[in-house]
Amino acid sequence: MIAIGIGLHNFAEGLAIGNSAAKGEISLAVLLVIGFGLHNATEGFGIVALLAAENVRPSWSSLALLGLIGGGPTFVGTLVGQHLVNDALSIAFLGLAAGSILYVIIELLAVARRAAMKVVTTWMLLLGLLLGFATDAVVTAAGV
């Protein structure tokens, strides 16, 4: 379910990349690819966190399938976004992305609660929030 939630979120990221390319804003599309690539590199940890919490050792093929479920929608979203530019549909998919990532966060917080790591979790949430604001500042400074 975590991989599906991340996949739904990543579909909207792909839509943003595709829409940028379709509108001729190639520099924005490249910036989004780089930014999403950097932040998606860590999403595998969120996908396997619940498995680790339950002491489950998945096979390599299971990990590859989970990676495809979580990451593949970015590529599909890019293709769809490049051919379908519609503001109302984009807003709907962004809402879906927000809801799905909220689901993922809630599930991962449950794992952190079971691991009794409240202080570490709180600091990492603060760090993530600050990094999000820093990313936004870089994007704004880049003129996007």
Side-chain angles (χ1 to χ4, degrees):
M1 291 303 295
I2 294 292
I4 292 170
I6 288 174
L8 289 172
H9 173 76
N10 287 344
F11 182 76
E13 291 177 352
L15 286 174
I17 294 167
N19 276 194
S20 298
K23 293 177 182 177
E25 299 171 357
I26 302 303
S27 62
L28 173 59
V30 169
L31 186 64
L32 289 174
V33 167
I34 293 168
F36 291 149
L38 289 172
H39 114 171
N40 288 351
T42 61
E43 288 180 348
F45 297 118
I47 292 172
V48 298
L50 293 176
L51 297 173
E54 300 294 327
N55 291 321
V56 174
R57 281 190 68 104
S59 66
W60 285 105
S61 59
S62 295
L63 289 175
L65 179 62
L66 290 172
L68 187 61
I69 291 169
T74 308
F75 179 72
V76 175
T78 301
L79 295 177
V80 171
Q82 191 171 18
H83 298 292
L84 181 66
V85 180
N86 180 314
D87 289 341
L89 194 57
S90 292
I91 291 170
F93 279 122
L94 289 173
L96 178 65
S100 61
I101 204 64
L102 184 59
Y103 169 78
V104 169
I105 290 168
I106 290 168
E107 289 298 314
L108 292 177
L109 286 175
V111 170
R113 249 191 322 278
R114 283 194 303 250
M117 300 182 76
K118 184 178 180 179
V119 173
V120 172
T121 302
T122 303
W123 279 108
M124 292 303 108
L125 282 172
L126 176 62
L127 178 63
L129 181 67
L130 294 174
L131 285 173
F133 284 129
T135 302
D136 183 55
V138 168
V139 169
T140 301
V144 179

